[in-house]
Amino acid sequence: MSVFEHPSFDNHEKVLFATDEQTGLKAIIGVHSTASGPACGGCRMWTYPSSTEALNDALRLSQGMSYKNIMADLPIGGGKSVIMKPAGDFDRVALFEAFGRAVESLNGEYISAEDVGVSPADMMAVRRFTTHVVGLPEGKDASGDPSPVTAEGVFRGMKVCIERALGKTDLSGVTVAIQGAAGHVGSYLSGHLARAGAKLIITDINVDGLERLKAEYGATIVGLDEIYDQDADVFAPCALGSIINPDTIGRIKAKIIAGAANNQLATRDMGAEIMKRGIVYAPDYVLNAGGIINVMGEIAGDFDPAWVQGKLTGLEQTLGEILDQSDKEGRPSNVIADEIARQRIEEKRVAKLA
Ligand code: NAD
């Protein structure tokens, strides 16, 4: 397994491989950039088939956090950690304590929060060994579960896209197909959309969660693979990454792709394929920054909900500017967003060295 030659390696400042035999911890912490401040991003626990896949996730996701944090104009850099979920029974508290010791070894260069497969309670175990952890469920400035704010940001950004692509300022009669609707973000997003008058088509592997959404919002449930073929105005990926790929892109009939999932595009050139089909794409890391904005309120101390709301308005504006530039230059929105992010990170890096 190569690291420096890895296709997802992007001059990451540090990559830490942390193991602990007693607890079974196998973690990789990617510190992509500290140009704007300590590298901040969630910890994901997943059953990875091998450390190659885990490394790929750590490298891609930490780079994505740098882009996300700079586009939301937050004074933090980008990092992410992954834990390879141990097979069979394991002591969850001990595992996250060991992870806390690994985070502490970076002396504040990386600040962890929760991501897929990790809960605020797990972060309390991490907290026993390091102060460089946020997204805690309790404490003076605890911001708790970031998902409701992520969902609000996705909802607000989706409305920006709907106004552009469909010329509508309200959501009545707009159909949204949500992948991962029963998840943390997906279920809050479903609530926002249903209350605003949208029709929902939903899928998830969590069947009970789907039934609840059907009962509450009258949503239509479809099979996992059928979600791509729906006659919807918006496709909202809120599960896992790489779901916009050569096998799925031709099946999507929606005029808009806007969802919470990280790394939605399997490859960067899928952005051009999306544009060719006349679909408006909201770059994932711009749209889903609500959670990290909320977490930033905790890092800053003195948690201020009004500041968070102001940042969500900024998210809408940034998205609008990217889509404007994409229209004007006839280039994909993901490419425009990446360029702006890289330029801003470079400016911060140079300023930090000066
Ligand atoms: P979650 O684990 O709560 O939800 C994901 C949902 O997707 C689950 O309900 C799961 O059952 C479902 N799912 C898994 N595989 C599926 C498949 N093949 N088809 C359909 N559904 C499937 O996670 P979450 O916190 O809601 O995050 C969702 C996505 O948004 C992730 O990609 C995450 O990285 C991203 N994200 C989340 C936040 C946040 O604040 N939680 C912030 C930014 C980005």
Side-chain angles (χ1 to χ4, degrees):
M1 179 180 59
S2 59
V3 179
F4 295 136
E5 300 78 19
H6 195 288
S8 302
F9 181 72
D10 177 44
N11 289 312
H12 289 64
E13 289 179 19
K14 278 185 189 164
V15 182
L16 176 75
F17 292 82
T19 60
D20 180 68
E21 203 179 352
Q22 267 188 333
T23 58
L25 177 76
K26 286 192 179 123
I28 306 175
I29 303 179
V31 174
H32 178 256
S33 167
T34 58
S36 308
C40 187
C43 169
R44 174 173 293 193
M45 185 157 75
W46 195 250
T47 306
Y48 290 100
S50 75
S51 50
T52 307
E53 280 83 358
L55 175 65
N56 191 43
D57 240 10
L59 294 175
R60 278 194 79 186
L61 292 166
S62 57
Q63 180 201 46
M65 286 311 298
S66 286
Y67 288 10
K68 184 185 308 204
N69 294 343
I70 199 92
M71 292 305 267
D73 195 20
L74 300 174
I76 43 178
K80 198 97 177 184
S81 50
V82 300
I83 297 178
M84 298 179 69
K85 191 172 183 180
D89 287 343
F90 64 96
D91 182 339
R92 196 170 173 107
V93 172
L95 185 85
F96 278 95
E97 286 177 346
F99 175 70
R101 291 193 289 274
V103 172
E104 179 62 16
S105 75
L106 288 168
N107 292 317
E109 277 184 292
Y110 170 66
I111 302 174
S112 186
E114 59 269 38
D115 190 57
V116 176
V118 176
S119 70
D122 295 326
M123 289 295 112
M124 290 304 281
V126 176
R127 177 71 181 80
R128 279 185 210 121
F129 287 89
T130 184
T131 53
H132 308 298
V133 54
V134 287
L136 300 172
E138 54 197 61
K140 186 175 146 289
D141 293 309
S143 59
D145 179 8
S147 309
V149 186
T150 303
E152 188 180 345
V154 172
F155 174 64
R156 287 172 65 164
M158 196 186 280
K159 286 202 292 187
V160 170
C161 298
I162 288 170
E163 194 170 346
R164 280 164 181 267
L166 309 178
K168 279 178 71 76
T169 50
D170 70 299
L171 268 70
S172 58
V174 173
T175 304
V176 184
I178 310 175
Q179 183 178 47
H184 284 93
V185 179
S187 50
Y188 285 110
L189 179 64
S190 297
H192 281 296
L193 290 167
R195 285 189 292 276
K199 285 189 226 149
L200 306 184
I201 300 174
I202 56 173
T203 195
D204 201 290
I205 50 180
N206 174 354
V207 176
D208 291 345
L210 289 179
E211 288 297 338
R212 271 195 300 276
L213 294 172
K214 182 180 172 185
E216 202 165 347
Y217 305 126
T220 304
I221 299 173
V222 296
L224 291 178
D225 191 51
E226 287 166 14
I227 197 74
Y228 300 107
D229 306 311
Q230 298 304 310
D231 246 328
D233 299 299
V234 185
F235 173 53
C238 296
L240 296 170
S242 296
I243 39 73
I244 308 291
N245 57 49
D247 294 334
T248 58
I249 183 67
R251 297 166 58 187
I252 296 169
K253 302 190 189 95
K255 287 268 169 295
I256 297 160
I257 299 175
N262 282 312
N263 295 330
Q264 290 166 25
L265 310 186
T267 53
R268 201 167 176 253
D269 56 9
M270 290 314 297
E273 293 297 319
I274 292 173
M275 199 179 70
K276 225 195 293 178
R277 290 167 168 80
I279 300 171
V280 171
Y281 173 62
D284 44 17
Y285 58 81
V286 176
L287 195 70
N288 69 16
I292 193 72
I293 288 170
N294 198 53
V295 161
M296 185 64 223
E298 184 174 338
I299 297 172
D302 215 5
F303 188 77
D304 179 4
W307 178 86
V308 171
Q309 284 301 315
K311 280 287 178 193
L312 292 182
T313 304
L315 181 158
E316 290 176 66
Q317 284 162 353
T318 303
L319 177 62
E321 284 161 18
I322 292 166
L323 297 178
D324 279 346
Q325 195 176 333
S326 172
D327 281 350
K328 199 166 129 221
E329 298 178 7
R331 295 193 303 132
S333 56
N334 65 310
V335 173
I336 306 273
D338 284 0
E339 280 173 9
I340 298 172
R342 296 188 84 85
Q343 188 188 334
R344 288 187 187 173
I345 293 168
E346 181 57 13
E347 283 165 10
K348 293 278 185 191
R349 192 187 66 80
V350 170
K352 193 180 168 189
L353 291 176

